[in-house]
Amino acid sequence: MMISTKRHVQQLASLFLNKKIFDIVLCPGSRNGPLIHTLAGCGQFDCRVIVDERSAGYFALGVAQAKQKPVVIVCSSGTAAVNFAPAVAEAFYQNIPLIVVTADRPAYWIDQLENQCINQTALYRNFIQQSCSLPLEESDSQLWSGARLINEILNTAVSDAPGPVHINIPLEEPLHRTEDVQLPDVKVIEDAETRSKLDEKALAGVVETIGRADKILVLVGQSPGNTDLNNALSLFEEKTGAVVAAEHLANLQMSSGCCCVCPELVLGSISSGDAAVFQPDLLITFGRHFVSKRIRQFLRDYKPDNHVHVDAGGGHMDTYQALTRVCAMSPERFFEQLAGMPIPRVSGDYAGTWKNREHEALQIYKHYLNRAPFSDFTACARVLKAVPENSVIHLGNSSTVRYALLYPGIKGVTWLGNRGTSGIDGSVSTAVGYASCRSQINTLILGDLSFLYDSNGLWNKYLGENLRIILLNNGGGNIFSFVEDLAGRTGAHNQAIFQDCFFAGHNAKVKGLASAFGLDYLQADSGSKLDKALEKLYNPDRSDPTLLEVFTDARTNTTVFKGLFSEIKKRITI
């Protein structure tokens, strides 16, 4: 096989194989030529090519989520490396193991007016687990040092607290010299797996805290979910009478079926008069971000006596300003360990209080949905009703994710969204990357600005027939209409600023983009037309990636969304 003569690159490829890291996303370039020659030339990796580095980073993120394995992204030097940064940040805040490999100019050319040359040392230092720069020279001692650094970096990426890592490789010309050799044997340094559990003292402290609480709230943030966690959490809920509340992005499938899946509706119904009834004595949290601002504000205003956060990396996440204990272990191990302890059941019916309120709020939601005018709110509900069971839903940020999380769950659906940093910049690319690795239907629901921002996510050859994109086109950034300080201003001057600088209205023709990238195109501007379009979109015989554009009115969207919570407040009394 023909691979680069660069020996540090050969060692890197060899260690990838030894650690069973096979998925590579390559961005074309010259300085990274040795990496491309080796990774693509040795024939042992699954290499995909994405031209746009920003899109490539998010595409790799989607692949890593789908396979639950590390993915390598490779680029040239200069701004190519900088363009990986948004996806690296998202991976950091979602604990996704991206392995970022950037080619670089030799250090002696930094800041010497050399072309395509920037200081790449610790480029992602604020949102990376670990980074290193390999030596330039290839003496035995420098090859040993390089191999040790690579081992350490790769072990960090897949530790109990996984996340992105960065390997920077300075490379001198010639860059495209190859040789017909096998990859070298490189010493592999194994990282022993740790089976974390609470020691006797810590376990006794947690059990005592649980035993003193009458109102226990388990709050589950964004998570890939797994069967062991579902089972352990179901046992804990049944044993203690705790409330388990989770948004769809937590991907819980509890056997008890007692999880509160629409906490936003519950929180939207609570007034100062009944807040104390819902205030927990003990809060247990795990997972990543929660979308709901209401839940954050409620728990900051009505703090629990104790807050236990469970995090494999030991992160001190004091989101609700009430943190009293951190348990550095996986949540499934935490709840499995507690299941074997003699824990008393709470005396009251705190879980019933939450479930009854959720049921009441959902009835109001359904009644309101049936009579609301056509809008993003009703369109999103129609879409979710049509989505097939056991498929995948990707949610764009801003208003789209908020609409979707008001809708009751769908059987067997996996929910995904870039909520680590909550940006609109990579939703398309991430969904395309994920869908390229899975056979079931993948539905991406997002707004017009988010789609346009990341339309380059369609500029690749990996669009599968299982990809469905639902584009809610309201002509701009409708989320800003929900902000009272903006939407409440009626003066002509302020309205002009809002329209131009916040809403960012546009007349872009998405149909043309769909055609340019080879997608089938459907459209709808009413409920009846949307239902017919959805029948076509999810027809089992459809064999092409398809975009469905749904046109709505921004002002109607704002009125309908705010009206829902006004209705809930009005109809629910203490």
Side-chain angles (χ1 to χ4, degrees):
M1 58 185 178
M2 300 300 293
I3 61 175
S4 172
T5 59
K6 304 294 185 184
R7 297 180 69 192
H8 285 294
V9 173
Q10 292 178 4
Q11 288 196 144
L12 177 65
S14 179
L15 284 170
F16 282 160
L17 291 176
N18 275 289
K19 292 183 180 291
K20 295 181 170 38
I21 299 169
F22 302 112
D23 289 285
I24 314 286
V25 176
L26 300 171
C27 298
S30 181
R31 186 60 50 170
N32 60 336
L35 288 155
I36 295 174
H37 284 301
T38 302
L39 295 171
C42 75
Q44 299 183 68
F45 295 99
D46 185 358
C47 294
R48 300 170 175 86
V49 179
I50 306 287
V51 176
D52 181 332
E53 286 86 7
R54 183 171 60 81
S55 179
Y58 281 111
F59 181 95
L61 191 80
V63 174
Q65 288 175 315
K67 295 198 169 185
Q68 294 292 294
K69 294 179 180 179
V71 175
V72 180
I73 49 177
V74 180
C75 73
S76 189
S77 61
T79 57
V82 178
N83 283 324
F84 278 161
V88 175
E90 182 66 31
F92 180 72
Y93 288 106
Q94 282 201 58
N95 293 121
I96 295 173
L98 285 188
I99 298 169
V100 185
V101 180
T102 56
D104 199 359
R105 297 298 207 264
Y108 53 74
W109 283 125
I110 304 297
D111 297 329
Q112 295 302 306
L113 302 183
E114 175 72 2
N115 285 334
Q116 205 171 342
C117 183
I118 65 173
N119 187 346
Q120 295 177 196
T121 303
L123 180 62
Y124 315 107
R125 58 184 173 274
N126 290 328
F127 33 84
I128 203 82
Q129 297 283 69
Q130 192 171 352
S131 64
C132 74
S133 283
L134 298 184
L136 177 65
E137 292 77 15
E138 296 182 343
S139 68
D140 288 345
S141 61
Q142 286 159 333
L143 287 169
W144 162 82
S145 176
R148 186 198 64 76
L149 285 170
I150 295 168
N151 268 288
E152 182 179 356
I153 286 284
L154 298 184
N155 287 342
T156 298
V158 294
S159 65
D160 282 349
V165 294
H166 176 208
I167 301 172
N168 190 57
I169 305 183
L171 294 164
E172 285 185 310
E173 295 181 356
L175 299 171
H176 300 283
R177 185 173 293 168
T178 60
E179 57 184 347
D180 187 5
V181 297
Q182 298 296 312
L183 291 173
D185 290 327
V186 184
K187 181 178 69 174
V188 177
I189 303 173
E190 300 290 351
D191 191 18
E193 181 182 0
T194 58
R195 299 289 297 180
S196 301
K197 67 177 183 179
L198 294 174
D199 60 36
E200 290 185 8
K201 182 179 179 181
L203 180 60
V206 172
V207 170
E208 181 186 4
T209 301
I210 294 173
R212 291 199 310 266
D214 289 325
K215 297 183 294 182
I216 303 172
L217 174 61
V218 180
L219 199 60
V220 188
Q222 183 171 11
S223 167
N226 63 69
T227 301
D228 289 343
L229 176 59
N230 291 332
N231 293 338
L233 199 52
S234 293
L235 285 174
F236 181 79
E237 180 269 331
E238 292 170 2
K239 188 171 186 176
T240 63
V243 174
V244 178
E247 295 172 332
H248 303 338
L249 292 169
N251 287 298
L252 287 187
Q253 299 285 338
M254 290 172 58
S255 59
S256 63
C258 291
C259 179
C260 177
V261 297
C262 293
E264 180 75 347
L265 292 177
V266 175
L267 271 295
S269 75
I270 297 174
S271 65
S272 57
D274 60 353
V277 176
F278 292 89
Q279 180 181 10
D281 300 329
L282 170 62
L283 174 67
I284 302 175
T285 58
F286 65 90
R288 306 308 296 171
H289 294 74
F290 233 77
V291 175
S292 173
K293 184 177 181 179
R294 283 185 171 88
I295 193 72
R296 293 193 296 275
Q297 195 58 55
F298 175 76
L299 290 171
R300 288 169 188 169
D301 290 342
Y302 299 93
K303 292 181 174 60
D305 296 330
N306 289 283
H307 172 197
V308 176
H309 183 65
V310 184
D311 180 78
H316 287 50
M317 306 303 179
D318 197 8
T319 310
Y320 310 104
Q321 302 174 324
L323 186 66
T324 54
R325 184 186 294 270
V326 174
C327 295
M329 61 193 302
S330 71
E332 51 266 45
R333 293 172 189 166
F334 174 81
F335 289 106
E336 285 169 359
Q337 194 172 1
L338 286 177
M341 299 300 295
I343 300 173
R345 187 176 178 85
V346 297
S347 58
D349 190 18
Y350 186 56
T353 300
W354 273 79
K355 289 302 294 182
N356 290 338
R357 179 58 62 87
E358 182 184 42
H359 176 75
E360 192 175 359
L362 278 171
Q363 293 306 307
I364 297 170
Y365 164 85
K366 293 173 182 176
H367 178 76
Y368 184 83
L369 180 64
N370 289 334
R371 61 186 178 82
F374 186 70
S375 57
D376 282 352
F377 172 72
T378 60
C380 193
R382 287 174 184 268
V383 168
L384 294 175
K385 184 178 180 181
V387 168
E389 292 184 357
N390 302 311
S391 62
V392 181
I393 295 177
H394 304 263
L395 299 175
N397 282 314
S398 296
S399 56
T400 306
V401 67
R402 289 167 171 81
Y403 287 121
L405 297 186
L406 297 174
Y407 188 86
I410 306 170
K411 184 178 180 180
V413 162
T414 298
W415 298 82
L416 298 164
N418 289 343
R419 293 302 300 179
T421 55
S422 303
I424 68 167
D425 46 351
S427 298
V428 176
S429 298
T430 305
V432 170
Y434 190 102
S436 72
C437 301
R438 294 294 183 93
S439 59
Q440 72 261 56
I441 294 295
N442 278 248
T443 300
L444 168 62
I445 310 170
L446 77 172
D448 46 344
L449 295 190
S450 184
F451 174 81
L452 292 167
Y453 198 113
D454 194 32
S455 58
N456 262 11
L458 303 173
W459 179 27
N460 59 71
K461 57 185 179 182
Y462 309 108
L463 304 182
E465 62 182 44
N466 62 336
L467 181 65
R468 306 288 183 267
I469 299 176
I470 313 286
L471 170 59
L472 301 178
N473 190 343
N474 46 53
N478 206 170
I479 185 67
F480 295 110
S481 299
F482 300 168
V483 182
E484 292 293 343
D485 288 344
L486 292 174
R489 296 177 180 176
T490 57
H493 175 67
N494 287 328
Q495 283 297 310
I497 292 175
F498 170 77
Q499 187 69 25
D500 292 340
C501 302
F502 291 97
F503 185 70
H506 65 88
N507 294 307
K509 306 300 182 185
V510 172
K511 183 177 181 180
L513 278 173
S515 176
F517 292 119
L519 277 74
D520 279 356
Y521 176 83
L522 302 169
Q523 66 178 28
D525 59 5
S526 69
S528 59
K529 291 180 181 178
L530 177 56
D531 289 341
K532 291 177 181 178
L534 288 168
E535 288 182 14
K536 295 178 181 178
L537 186 72
Y538 292 116
N539 187 311
D541 294 330
R542 179 164 292 277
S543 58
D544 292 303
T546 304
L547 186 149
L548 167 56
E549 186 173 14
V550 183
F551 296 94
T552 63
D553 177 72
R555 291 186 179 181
T556 302
N557 292 337
T558 303
T559 301
V560 169
F561 182 78
K562 292 182 176 181
L564 169 65
F565 289 97
S566 295
E567 187 79 0
I568 289 173
K569 284 280 191 181
K570 180 175 68 176
R571 294 186 57 187
I572 292 181
T573 57
I574 301 173

